[in-house]
Each structure stands twice: as C-alpha cells, then as structure tokens.
Amino acid sequence: MNDRFAKTPQPHYYAVIFTNQLSEDDAGYAEMGAKMFELASNHPGCYGAESSRDSSGLGITVSYWKDEESIAAWKADAKHLVAQNSGIERWYSHYELRVAKVERAYQGPKGRSV
Amino acid sequence: MNDRFAKTPQPHYYAVIFTNQLSEDDAGYAEMGAKMFELASNHPGCYGAESSRDSSGLGITVSYWKDEESIAAWKADAKHLVAQNSGIERWYSHYELRVAKVERAYQGPKGRSV
C-alpha cells in the first residue's frame, strides 16, 4: 500500500467525490490543484484524499472526512483559496461534486503486503 | 458535460468508490477493466460510472447505484467475471473499495453549458 491511498478508519465517515473535466485553458491549474489537495489533507477532520487524472484531463479526487462539520469548515477555506485565484470557471469545463456517507469498506488483494 | 460523467438522479443513491493501483504485470487488464466497466454500467439499478487512471497506474472508478440490492446483484456477476479471468491478485498491488450513500450533490461551473 503506497501513500496514494487515504488511511481511513472503520466506517462511518464521509467522502467528498469530485469528478471534473479540465478545460483546454488550464494555465495555473496545476499549482492551484496541488494547493487545494494540501489544504484538504491538512484540514482538521480530514483522513486524507485519493486523486487521479488521465491524459484527457478527466480527474477524480475523493477526500475523506470525519463528519459534515469538518467538510463545512474546509469548504469555507477552499472558497477563500478559489476566490484568491479566481479561476474555477476557467479551469473546469464541467464538474460533479457529491457528498456521501461511507457505510462499508474493504481492501485487498488479500495476502498482498504491498 | 460529456459522457464521462454519470447521469445521477437527486440523492439519495449509492456510490461504490474503487481506488486501485495497477501492478507492473498488468497483462490482460485493459480488456478485463473495460468488461467490468461495461458490466456495471449496463446492470439494473446502475446510474453510470466515472473512471480515471493516471500514468502511474493509480485509478479511481466510482459507480452509482439505486440501492444496496442492485450493488449486491452486480457484485455476484462481477465475481463470476473475475473468476473466469482469475487475475485480481496479479493486476492490483493494492485496492480500497468503499460503499457510500450519497446525501448531497452539486454540479458546475454555473453558467457553463459544456
């Protein structure tokens, strides 16, 4: 298991699923994305995040949270960061954000230590 | 909005979040992964799936479901497919699978029609 996986506790906890398509004009995005990821990961109540983006610019980031209150506090901070960088409409051609309560979790493959 | 995004209804519904790291030995994976994605997408009770894999082999697939019963039926079918292809231990060095109930959802950016 490498550090690209979040170290989440036993359920229940919350997941924020952010699926997004980068625009062709993505100047400044890489830096902003990294800042946002760091902001979430270090926020109180955050258990970590997992993120992948393919060569077509489709990305999925899932961050994991203790409770709704932690998500709300992070959202307020994220709004400040986005406002400072005023770019969300330009960077993303579309995004879907879903907040979900994790009820069950498994990991594998069984017997692998990696 | 392109067809890489799932067309989900108003919450509540379920999300199966599958984060996985491909092994270096991923022979046969591409075909199997595509079959699995198709199997899920066409299953009764599935609202679609979103998937991204980066150049390091870290992938996140989130499939969306009407209820727990639909997930259970799909899981049974998926087990058959995996058994026929006997490869899950070889393909993945690690995976995390989380089942979550989507409580809230948003999309954006506002005012964009793409």
Side-chain angles (χ1 to χ4, degrees):
Chain A
M1 180 167 160
N2 63 37
D3 60 8
R4 303 282 305 270
F5 291 89
K7 288 163 190 66
T8 45
Q10 290 298 310
H12 299 342
Y13 53 88
Y14 282 82
V16 176
I17 306 164
F18 180 56
T19 305
N20 60 87
Q21 177 66 54
L22 277 189
S23 300
E24 288 179 22
D25 175 14
D26 64 353
Y29 175 78
E31 192 189 353
M32 170 70 180
K35 271 189 197 170
M36 195 71 94
F37 192 89
E38 198 186 327
L39 181 69
S41 302
N42 294 320
H43 221 272
C46 185
Y47 296 129
E50 295 164 348
S51 194
S52 178
R53 184 175 307 283
D54 68 20
S55 55
S56 78
L58 188 89
I60 301 178
T61 297
V62 190
S63 54
Y64 300 99
W65 301 86
K66 184 180 177 188
D67 49 31
E68 288 268 24
E69 290 70 26
S70 309
I71 297 172
W74 163 65
K75 192 178 169 186
D77 273 7
K79 269 191 181 171
H80 289 151
L81 184 59
V82 167
Q84 284 159 17
N85 289 271
S86 62
I88 203 161
E89 289 81 8
R90 184 162 54 84
W91 283 322
Y92 300 116
S93 59
H94 188 78
Y95 66 80
E96 300 275 337
L97 194 148
R98 298 174 177 100
V99 179
K101 188 177 192 176
V102 178
E103 299 183 340
R104 297 182 283 128
Y106 313 90
Q107 55 179 233
K110 286 182 176 61
R112 292 289 288 261
S113 59
V114 183
Chain B
M1 182 165 160
N2 63 36
D3 61 6
R4 303 282 305 272
F5 292 89
K7 288 164 190 66
T8 45
Q10 290 298 312
H12 298 341
Y13 53 89
Y14 281 83
V16 176
I17 307 164
F18 181 56
T19 305
N20 60 88
Q21 177 67 54
L22 277 189
S23 301
E24 287 178 23
D25 176 12
D26 64 354
Y29 175 78
E31 193 189 351
M32 170 70 179
K35 270 189 197 170
M36 195 70 95
F37 192 90
E38 197 186 329
L39 180 69
S41 302
N42 294 319
H43 222 273
C46 185
Y47 296 130
E50 297 163 348
S51 194
S52 178
R53 184 176 306 283
D54 69 19
S55 54
S56 77
L58 188 89
I60 301 177
T61 298
V62 190
S63 54
Y64 300 98
W65 301 86
K66 184 180 177 187
D67 49 30
E68 288 267 24
E69 290 70 27
S70 310
I71 297 172
W74 164 65
K75 192 179 168 185
D77 273 7
K79 270 191 183 170
H80 290 150
L81 185 59
V82 167
Q84 284 160 17
N85 290 273
S86 62
I88 203 161
E89 290 81 8
R90 182 163 55 84
W91 283 321
Y92 300 116
S93 58
H94 188 79
Y95 66 80
E96 300 276 336
L97 194 149
R98 299 174 176 99
V99 180
K101 188 177 192 176
V102 178
E103 300 184 340
R104 297 184 283 128
Y106 313 89
Q107 55 179 232
K110 286 180 177 63
R112 293 287 287 260
S113 59
V114 185

